[in-house]
Amino acid sequence: MIIRNTTRRLLAESEATIEGPFMAYLHLQGFAPSTIKNIRWAVRWAARFLANHRRSLASLTYGQMPVFLRQSAPRHWNRAWRAMYCSGLRRWFKFKNPADVRPWLPSSSDHPLKSYHGKPASAYPWHWWVREYLKFLDVHCGLSFRTLMYHRLAVCDYLYWQFGRKKADWRQVSHECLWRYAREFARGRKPATLNMELGRLQRFFEFVQMRGACPSQLVQAIPRFAHYDGGGPRRAALTDAQRRRLLASFDRSLPDGVRNHAMALCMVDLGLRPVEVVKLRVEDFNVGQRMLAVPATKTDTGRHMPVPSHVHRALRAWLRQRPPSGSIKWLFIRSPHPSLHVPLRTQYLCKIINEAFQRCGFPEHWGGGYHLRHTFATRLFANGADLKQIADLMGHRRLQTTLGYTRVDIDALRPLAFPWPK
């Protein structure tokens, strides 16, 4: 009876924390209702498991997470359920103590990822390359945990196909091997998916070349599959009138409106990615020199950009409205309560832009921060900037990537076309 009462008491304490402050935290972070439901399920499952073992949810630390995942997750759960459970617990630890949560490199066999013939990828000799590559992407490129997981899966699939259970010998890799792997990998997959996976493989070979283990010809030998924009409607750049209407849709009489207006300007007039906007720190904005230090995200290094006068005024207006946030040094934060200041998330930023698009009456398929980034590149291209200048401002390493952002105004070219001869 005493054990049962202790279990009920511990479970009641955990439930009160989950349903109260934790649910409020998730709503403030801008999660979708379905995501909140999944996170709530994962944390409640962990709370019940701990209560049955006479422990409270507050006693669980982030360092105990790998062992706890093995103990609490049933064996019949598939990979998707285990990944959702792991993601929910990570969100709980970010709520409990954000300083304890570090990027978790998916190199441990405890992580619910792919195995090869019953063995995790870390058991094979070639996994040293995977571990070093993930460290490089995490430290020098600043990629997120989920992106690191995708890179790991792509690289492990190829290394197991190429070397099996042997040590990685790059002298055995030839152009024919890469083409044969691409043909076998292409079965049952769409061209867009193939190019994405092969792009991750090409980035890995660039790392191997940087380490001096393979020639540059192997990097260039990775093929690409033809893809003719079959993924849906193309992003159309905003006109000058639409851009002004979008910026005027933010209510700058409120602090959130001043913040949203400044973030929209950073994307549409500076070409920043949404993830770069949310990762900006206060010290990245040099007010006196009118320069903005863009943090490293998808590219290997960050970049410094001059700030136009109207963007400079918008950022200074937000700094005057920005509440003191203690140890949080992010430039753009949420301030729903004086005692709770949390940094923005990329999903919440895209939600703000989508709502602004709806207020302006733009087409339904328009939305997201990348629509503003496309507008930035198209306006530069229309005003005479070459691809190299646009690529430098947008942080692209390849001009081919910049080509996907530039759009030619077809309607403006129609008067210049000659009529078809009769």
Side-chain angles (χ1 to χ4, degrees), residues 22-23 75 121 125 143 156 173 175 186 228 243 266 300 306 326 384 388:
F22 185 56
M23 286 294 105
R75 294 184 178 180
L143 299 186
C156 287
V173 183
H175 303 73
Y228 303 103
R243 172 186 166 276
C266 287
D300 295 340
K388 182 63 173 62

Side-chain angles (χ1 to χ4, degrees), residues 75-314:
R75 294 184 178 180
H76 65 271
W77 280 3
N78 56 22
R79 189 187 309 162
W81 281 81
R82 291 177 180 271
M84 185 168 60
Y85 183 51
C86 173
S87 177
L89 288 183
R90 280 178 57 84
R91 182 55 55 182
W92 162 259
F93 285 113
K94 286 186 177 182
F95 160 75
K96 180 182 175 183
N97 191 359
D100 290 342
V101 182
R102 296 289 185 266
W104 186 7
L105 292 182
S107 58
S108 172
S109 59
D110 299 322
H111 196 273
L113 287 178
K114 200 170 184 179
S115 61
Y116 302 88
H117 287 281
K119 293 183 179 180
S122 57
Y124 291 95
W126 42 257
H127 192 263
W128 178 87
W129 286 97
V130 182
R131 186 169 58 252
E132 294 299 316
Y133 179 55
L134 292 178
K135 289 181 181 178
F136 171 76
L137 294 180
D138 178 45
V139 176
H140 298 283
C141 302
L143 299 186
S144 64
F145 164 75
R146 187 175 295 276
T147 307
L148 291 175
M149 183 180 69
Y150 291 146
H151 278 273
R152 179 188 184 271
L153 289 174
V155 172
C156 287
D157 285 343
Y158 168 75
L159 291 178
Y160 183 78
W161 178 89
Q162 180 70 51
F163 302 113
R165 304 183 181 183
K166 300 179 181 178
K167 187 178 180 180
D169 186 2
W170 298 105
R171 294 172 298 180
Q172 301 176 3
V173 183
S174 62
H175 303 73
E176 292 79 9
C177 294
L178 295 176
W179 279 81
R180 189 168 65 252
Y181 173 75
R183 284 195 298 268
E184 294 183 10
F185 184 75
R187 296 172 184 173
R189 292 180 172 89
K190 297 181 179 180
T193 304
L194 292 172
N195 291 333
M196 186 181 302
E197 293 297 322
L198 292 175
R200 295 183 181 122
L201 184 61
Q202 186 177 33
R203 192 166 186 176
F204 171 69
F205 269 92
E206 291 176 352
F207 170 77
V208 176
Q209 179 201 1
M210 185 180 64
R211 301 295 293 262
C214 76
S216 60
Q217 288 78 5
L218 285 181
V219 180
Q220 303 171 1
I222 298 177
R224 285 290 189 270
F225 290 84
H227 178 50
Y228 303 103
D229 291 328
R234 295 164 65 93
R235 288 189 177 98
L238 300 179
T239 63
D240 290 340
Q242 290 172 338
R243 172 186 166 276
R244 290 193 296 268
R245 194 193 319 168
L246 175 69
L247 295 176
S249 66
F250 300 107
D251 185 6
R252 281 179 278 176
S253 62
L254 301 175
D256 286 351
V258 176
R259 179 201 62 195
N260 298 342
H261 178 261
M263 292 190 300
L265 281 175
C266 287
M267 289 183 284
V268 74
D269 287 349
L270 296 182
L272 301 190
R273 302 178 178 92
V275 66
E276 292 172 342
V277 174
V278 300
K279 285 191 175 183
L280 285 175
R281 295 176 177 269
V282 176
E283 58 266 21
D284 293 335
F285 177 44
N286 192 322
V287 181
Q289 298 182 2
R290 297 194 175 190
M291 295 292 295
L292 188 67
V294 183
T297 52
K298 296 180 67 174
T299 54
D300 295 340
T301 57
R303 61 191 188 277
H304 290 77
M305 300 187 63
V307 180
S309 58
H310 64 287
V311 181
H312 183 267
R313 288 193 298 269

